[in-house]
Amino acid sequence: MAIRIVLLVVLNFYFSILCAQDESNFRIAIEAGFSLSESDSEGLSLLLGFEPKVRLAKRMYAGVRFGFITNTSNYNIQNVARYEFDTRQDNAVIFFTPNLSYYLDKLSYKGRDYSFYISSGLGYYLLSGIELLDTNTGNTKEIDVENRLGLNLRVGFEVQRLKVGLEYNLIPNGELKDVRDNDQKIGELNNSHWAISVGYVLHLQDRGKD
């Protein structure tokens, strides 16, 4: 409950700032991409993100990035003889990450200005549960995973309205627990991953006024 209250306060704070800003100081990025890390799931990895951000200084922006990415999970099952994981099963991570972005000097190439940036933020990651087959009983068990605080690190560049980014999400390992069996620990889940994305930035042309 405390984490939810903190998230609501942070969200309200950021959007209050955004609504108070002139359009020339405001950016909205819409991104799509995929994970570059190996996963225990065979499904397609897909990243979708949305990030409004506002200028704090000439080269500094504060933003709130939220979205989701699929099939990044790796599982370490303690009793592999008893529990089986269906690799066709999809999983997802929903992220909410307040962040700061710093833009370096622009680099001109063939008449276009490239704005390189570095960004970091401490975020909240909602992890989806999984299903495991208990070979002793033949039943499928629903396994819950605790949500985590994690660190998002990004580098990339913007040119005109195009944005390209490479990121790493450091998410502490979570325990896999059987809620129907006194929260018995079955294993651990690793959701840390690399990802790449391409996006569209609204009002990017206003950056030329810096």
Side-chain angles (χ1 to χ4, degrees):
M1 179 61 70
I3 292 179
R4 292 179 182 178
I5 294 175
V6 171
L7 291 177
L8 288 174
V9 171
V10 172
L11 182 62
N12 182 69
F13 171 75
Y14 270 100
F15 275 95
S16 296
I17 294 176
L18 293 177
C19 292
Q21 299 299 315
D22 295 332
E23 187 176 63
S24 61
N25 293 324
F26 183 44
R27 304 285 184 269
I28 299 177
I30 303 172
E31 305 167 324
F34 56 89
S35 171
L36 298 175
S37 301
E38 293 185 359
S39 169
D40 288 335
S41 298
E42 297 177 354
L44 177 68
S45 174
L46 173 65
L47 181 155
L48 291 177
F50 180 80
E51 181 185 13
K53 57 185 178 180
V54 63
R55 188 201 308 268
L56 297 181
K58 183 176 181 180
R59 299 185 181 182
M60 182 75 70
Y61 282 78
V64 181
R65 186 170 183 249
F66 50 93
F68 70 89
I69 186 169
T70 62
N71 297 323
T72 61
S73 299
N74 288 287
Y75 305 98
N76 180 16
I77 308 300
Q78 292 180 343
N79 190 346
V80 293
R82 178 178 177 181
Y83 297 104
E84 292 182 358
F85 171 72
D86 186 354
T87 58
R88 296 169 298 178
Q89 184 179 163
D90 291 320
N91 57 80
V93 177
I94 298 175
F95 54 83
F96 172 86
T97 314
N99 61 77
L100 291 174
S101 300
Y102 181 80
Y103 285 80
L104 307 176
D105 289 335
K106 293 180 181 179
L107 176 65
S108 296
Y109 180 71
K110 292 187 176 180
R112 294 184 177 180
D113 291 332
Y114 291 78
S115 299
F116 290 85
Y117 66 88
I118 55 177
S119 176
S120 66
L122 183 65
Y124 191 60
Y125 296 80
L126 287 76
L127 311 180
S128 63
I130 64 170
E131 293 183 351
L132 294 177
L133 176 63
D134 188 338
T135 57
N136 287 354
T137 63
N139 297 325
T140 299
K141 289 192 173 186
E142 295 183 1
I143 308 300
D144 282 348
V145 184
E146 292 183 351
N147 300 326
R148 293 297 194 191
L149 290 174
L151 181 65
N152 174 261
L153 303 171
R154 287 182 292 163
V155 295
F157 66 88
E158 297 177 6
V159 52
Q160 295 184 342
R161 294 182 180 269
L162 177 69
K163 178 178 183 178
V164 179
L166 174 68
E167 66 183 85
Y168 183 71
N169 290 277
L170 178 61
I171 307 172
N173 289 356
E175 291 187 349
L176 300 175
K177 295 181 179 180
D178 186 355
V179 295
R180 298 180 181 178
D181 191 9
N182 297 320
D183 286 338
Q184 176 189 2
K185 182 178 178 179
I186 294 177
E188 288 189 338
L189 169 70
N190 179 9
N191 263 116
S192 296
H193 60 274
W194 289 92
I196 190 169
S197 62
V198 177
Y200 179 83
V201 183
L202 300 176
H203 306 302
L204 183 61
Q205 70 274 15
D206 291 333
R207 177 174 290 282
K209 297 178 181 180
D210 291 352

PDB file of all heavy atoms in Angstrom, residues 12 22 41 46 48 62 70 76 100 121 145 148 155 161 173 191 193 199 207:
ATOM      1  N   ASN A  12       1.377  12.212  -9.810  1.00  0.00           N
ATOM      2  CA  ASN A  12       0.668  13.483  -9.739  1.00  0.00           C
ATOM      3  C   ASN A  12       1.632  14.666  -9.826  1.00  0.00           C
ATOM      4  O   ASN A  12       1.357  15.672 -10.494  1.00  0.00           O
ATOM      5  CB  ASN A  12      -0.139  13.548  -8.440  1.00  0.00           C
ATOM      6  CG  ASN A  12      -0.933  14.832  -8.339  1.00  0.00           C
ATOM      7  OD1 ASN A  12      -1.898  15.047  -9.077  1.00  0.00           O
ATOM      8  ND2 ASN A  12      -0.536  15.696  -7.407  1.00  0.00           N
ATOM      9  N   ASP A  22       5.275  25.240 -21.029  1.00  0.00           N
ATOM     10  CA  ASP A  22       5.031  25.617 -22.412  1.00  0.00           C
ATOM     11  C   ASP A  22       5.318  24.438 -23.312  1.00  0.00           C
ATOM     12  O   ASP A  22       6.128  23.574 -23.005  1.00  0.00           O
ATOM     13  CB  ASP A  22       5.935  26.784 -22.826  1.00  0.00           C
ATOM     14  CG  ASP A  22       5.611  28.040 -22.036  1.00  0.00           C
ATOM     15  OD1 ASP A  22       4.450  28.184 -21.609  1.00  0.00           O
ATOM     16  OD2 ASP A  22       6.544  28.855 -21.843  1.00  0.00           O
ATOM     17  N   SER A  41      11.233 -18.265 -22.350  1.00  0.00           N
ATOM     18  CA  SER A  41      10.006 -18.330 -23.141  1.00  0.00           C
ATOM     19  C   SER A  41      10.335 -18.277 -24.624  1.00  0.00           C
ATOM     20  O   SER A  41      11.234 -17.560 -25.049  1.00  0.00           O
ATOM     21  CB  SER A  41       9.065 -17.170 -22.775  1.00  0.00           C
ATOM     22  OG  SER A  41       8.680 -17.234 -21.422  1.00  0.00           O
ATOM     23  N   LEU A  46       8.203  -8.158 -27.109  1.00  0.00           N
ATOM     24  CA  LEU A  46       7.685  -6.886 -27.622  1.00  0.00           C
ATOM     25  C   LEU A  46       7.739  -5.851 -26.521  1.00  0.00           C
ATOM     26  O   LEU A  46       7.309  -6.100 -25.386  1.00  0.00           O
ATOM     27  CB  LEU A  46       6.242  -7.047 -28.103  1.00  0.00           C
ATOM     28  CG  LEU A  46       5.509  -5.761 -28.524  1.00  0.00           C
ATOM     29  CD1 LEU A  46       6.169  -5.155 -29.754  1.00  0.00           C
ATOM     30  CD2 LEU A  46       4.037  -6.033 -28.776  1.00  0.00           C
ATOM     31  N   LEU A  48       6.637  -1.859 -25.627  1.00  0.00           N
ATOM     32  CA  LEU A  48       5.886  -0.655 -25.962  1.00  0.00           C
ATOM     33  C   LEU A  48       6.018   0.326 -24.800  1.00  0.00           C
ATOM     34  O   LEU A  48       5.806  -0.053 -23.641  1.00  0.00           O
ATOM     35  CB  LEU A  48       4.406  -0.973 -26.205  1.00  0.00           C
ATOM     36  CG  LEU A  48       4.076  -1.778 -27.471  1.00  0.00           C
ATOM     37  CD1 LEU A  48       2.585  -2.082 -27.526  1.00  0.00           C
ATOM     38  CD2 LEU A  48       4.500  -1.021 -28.725  1.00  0.00           C
ATOM     39  N   ALA A  62      13.238  15.824 -17.254  1.00  0.00           N
ATOM     40  CA  ALA A  62      12.645  14.860 -16.326  1.00  0.00           C
ATOM     41  C   ALA A  62      11.440  14.243 -17.008  1.00  0.00           C
ATOM     42  O   ALA A  62      10.650  14.935 -17.660  1.00  0.00           O
ATOM     43  CB  ALA A  62      12.230  15.545 -15.027  1.00  0.00           C
ATOM     44  N   THR A  70       7.390  -7.958 -23.073  1.00  0.00           N
ATOM     45  CA  THR A  70       7.014  -9.361 -22.919  1.00  0.00           C
ATOM     46  C   THR A  70       8.219 -10.286 -23.059  1.00  0.00           C
ATOM     47  O   THR A  70       9.202  -9.970 -23.730  1.00  0.00           O
ATOM     48  CB  THR A  70       5.955  -9.762 -23.959  1.00  0.00           C
ATOM     49  OG1 THR A  70       6.502  -9.613 -25.282  1.00  0.00           O
ATOM     50  CG2 THR A  70       4.723  -8.888 -23.836  1.00  0.00           C
ATOM     51  N   ASN A  76      14.766 -20.157 -12.440  1.00  0.00           N
ATOM     52  CA  ASN A  76      15.658 -21.109 -11.782  1.00  0.00           C
ATOM     53  C   ASN A  76      14.807 -21.945 -10.830  1.00  0.00           C
ATOM     54  O   ASN A  76      14.547 -21.550  -9.699  1.00  0.00           O
ATOM     55  CB  ASN A  76      16.765 -20.366 -11.017  1.00  0.00           C
ATOM     56  CG  ASN A  76      17.713 -21.315 -10.320  1.00  0.00           C
ATOM     57  OD1 ASN A  76      17.757 -22.507 -10.613  1.00  0.00           O
ATOM     58  ND2 ASN A  76      18.479 -20.797  -9.380  1.00  0.00           N
ATOM     59  N   LEU A 100      15.630  10.849 -15.328  1.00  0.00           N
ATOM     60  CA  LEU A 100      16.288  12.071 -15.768  1.00  0.00           C
ATOM     61  C   LEU A 100      17.102  11.762 -17.017  1.00  0.00           C
ATOM     62  O   LEU A 100      17.790  10.738 -17.074  1.00  0.00           O
ATOM     63  CB  LEU A 100      17.204  12.625 -14.674  1.00  0.00           C
ATOM     64  CG  LEU A 100      16.527  13.196 -13.430  1.00  0.00           C
ATOM     65  CD1 LEU A 100      17.578  13.575 -12.393  1.00  0.00           C
ATOM     66  CD2 LEU A 100      15.676  14.423 -13.781  1.00  0.00           C
ATOM     67  N   GLY A 121      16.857   6.028 -14.251  1.00  0.00           N
ATOM     68  CA  GLY A 121      15.702   6.211 -13.385  1.00  0.00           C
ATOM     69  C   GLY A 121      15.461   4.985 -12.524  1.00  0.00           C
ATOM     70  O   GLY A 121      15.821   3.863 -12.896  1.00  0.00           O
ATOM     71  N   VAL A 145       4.601 -13.960  -8.295  1.00  0.00           N
ATOM     72  CA  VAL A 145       5.913 -13.315  -8.255  1.00  0.00           C
ATOM     73  C   VAL A 145       5.744 -11.920  -7.670  1.00  0.00           C
ATOM     74  O   VAL A 145       4.843 -11.171  -8.083  1.00  0.00           O
ATOM     75  CB  VAL A 145       6.538 -13.210  -9.660  1.00  0.00           C
ATOM     76  CG1 VAL A 145       7.933 -12.616  -9.571  1.00  0.00           C
ATOM     77  CG2 VAL A 145       6.590 -14.572 -10.325  1.00  0.00           C
ATOM     78  N   ARG A 148       8.810  -5.624  -8.139  1.00  0.00           N
ATOM     79  CA  ARG A 148      10.138  -5.178  -7.736  1.00  0.00           C
ATOM     80  C   ARG A 148      10.405  -3.718  -8.094  1.00  0.00           C
ATOM     81  O   ARG A 148       9.869  -3.199  -9.075  1.00  0.00           O
ATOM     82  CB  ARG A 148      11.216  -6.037  -8.427  1.00  0.00           C
ATOM     83  CG  ARG A 148      11.251  -7.480  -7.992  1.00  0.00           C
ATOM     84  CD  ARG A 148      11.602  -7.578  -6.535  1.00  0.00           C
ATOM     85  NE  ARG A 148      11.954  -8.929  -6.155  1.00  0.00           N
ATOM     86  CZ  ARG A 148      12.087  -9.318  -4.891  1.00  0.00           C
ATOM     87  NH1 ARG A 148      11.907  -8.468  -3.912  1.00  0.00           N
ATOM     88  NH2 ARG A 148      12.412 -10.557  -4.603  1.00  0.00           N
ATOM     89  N   VAL A 155      20.878   4.757 -23.176  1.00  0.00           N
ATOM     90  CA  VAL A 155      21.667   5.647 -24.028  1.00  0.00           C
ATOM     91  C   VAL A 155      21.042   5.606 -25.414  1.00  0.00           C
ATOM     92  O   VAL A 155      20.393   4.630 -25.791  1.00  0.00           O
ATOM     93  CB  VAL A 155      23.156   5.228 -24.112  1.00  0.00           C
ATOM     94  CG1 VAL A 155      23.829   5.351 -22.762  1.00  0.00           C
ATOM     95  CG2 VAL A 155      23.284   3.804 -24.654  1.00  0.00           C
ATOM     96  N   ARG A 161      12.448  13.658 -35.759  1.00  0.00           N
ATOM     97  CA  ARG A 161      11.423  13.090 -34.876  1.00  0.00           C
ATOM     98  C   ARG A 161      11.705  11.631 -34.501  1.00  0.00           C
ATOM     99  O   ARG A 161      10.901  10.992 -33.813  1.00  0.00           O
ATOM    100  CB  ARG A 161      10.044  13.180 -35.539  1.00  0.00           C
ATOM    101  CG  ARG A 161       9.555  14.603 -35.716  1.00  0.00           C
ATOM    102  CD  ARG A 161       8.163  14.628 -36.343  1.00  0.00           C
ATOM    103  NE  ARG A 161       7.705  15.999 -36.512  1.00  0.00           N
ATOM    104  CZ  ARG A 161       7.010  16.660 -35.607  1.00  0.00           C
ATOM    105  NH1 ARG A 161       6.712  16.088 -34.468  1.00  0.00           N
ATOM    106  NH2 ARG A 161       6.618  17.891 -35.829  1.00  0.00           N
ATOM    107  N   ASN A 173      16.244 -10.251  -8.475  1.00  0.00           N
ATOM    108  CA  ASN A 173      15.571 -11.537  -8.621  1.00  0.00           C
ATOM    109  C   ASN A 173      14.379 -11.636  -7.667  1.00  0.00           C
ATOM    110  O   ASN A 173      14.432 -11.169  -6.526  1.00  0.00           O
ATOM    111  CB  ASN A 173      16.531 -12.691  -8.346  1.00  0.00           C
ATOM    112  CG  ASN A 173      17.556 -12.855  -9.455  1.00  0.00           C
ATOM    113  OD1 ASN A 173      17.507 -12.156 -10.467  1.00  0.00           O
ATOM    114  ND2 ASN A 173      18.480 -13.765  -9.275  1.00  0.00           N
ATOM    115  N   ASN A 191      14.421 -11.214 -14.205  1.00  0.00           N
ATOM    116  CA  ASN A 191      13.820 -10.421 -15.269  1.00  0.00           C
ATOM    117  C   ASN A 191      14.724  -9.300 -15.777  1.00  0.00           C
ATOM    118  O   ASN A 191      14.287  -8.471 -16.588  1.00  0.00           O
ATOM    119  CB  ASN A 191      12.501  -9.811 -14.811  1.00  0.00           C
ATOM    120  CG  ASN A 191      11.302 -10.612 -15.246  1.00  0.00           C
ATOM    121  OD1 ASN A 191      10.565 -11.140 -14.424  1.00  0.00           O
ATOM    122  ND2 ASN A 191      11.086 -10.724 -16.546  1.00  0.00           N
ATOM    123  N   HIS A 193      17.184  -7.369 -18.103  1.00  0.00           N
ATOM    124  CA  HIS A 193      17.305  -7.579 -19.539  1.00  0.00           C
ATOM    125  C   HIS A 193      17.821  -6.335 -20.257  1.00  0.00           C
ATOM    126  O   HIS A 193      17.683  -5.214 -19.770  1.00  0.00           O
ATOM    127  CB  HIS A 193      15.945  -7.957 -20.141  1.00  0.00           C
ATOM    128  CG  HIS A 193      14.889  -6.907 -19.940  1.00  0.00           C
ATOM    129  ND1 HIS A 193      14.114  -6.846 -18.806  1.00  0.00           N
ATOM    130  CD2 HIS A 193      14.485  -5.841 -20.713  1.00  0.00           C
ATOM    131  CE1 HIS A 193      13.290  -5.825 -18.889  1.00  0.00           C
ATOM    132  NE2 HIS A 193      13.499  -5.190 -20.026  1.00  0.00           N
ATOM    133  N   GLY A 199      11.555   5.030 -31.593  1.00  0.00           N
ATOM    134  CA  GLY A 199      10.356   5.767 -31.239  1.00  0.00           C
ATOM    135  C   GLY A 199      10.143   7.031 -32.054  1.00  0.00           C
ATOM    136  O   GLY A 199      10.994   7.441 -32.858  1.00  0.00           O
ATOM    137  N   ARG A 207      13.493  21.666 -30.145  1.00  0.00           N
ATOM    138  CA  ARG A 207      14.819  21.591 -29.548  1.00  0.00           C
ATOM    139  C   ARG A 207      15.786  22.554 -30.238  1.00  0.00           C
ATOM    140  O   ARG A 207      16.777  22.987 -29.659  1.00  0.00           O
ATOM    141  CB  ARG A 207      15.338  20.154 -29.647  1.00  0.00           C
ATOM    142  CG  ARG A 207      16.731  19.984 -29.133  1.00  0.00           C
ATOM    143  CD  ARG A 207      17.077  18.511 -29.131  1.00  0.00           C
ATOM    144  NE  ARG A 207      16.311  17.839 -28.095  1.00  0.00           N
ATOM    145  CZ  ARG A 207      16.608  17.878 -26.811  1.00  0.00           C
ATOM    146  NH1 ARG A 207      17.642  18.582 -26.405  1.00  0.00           N
ATOM    147  NH2 ARG A 207      15.903  17.254 -25.909  1.00  0.00           N
TER     148      ARG A 207
END
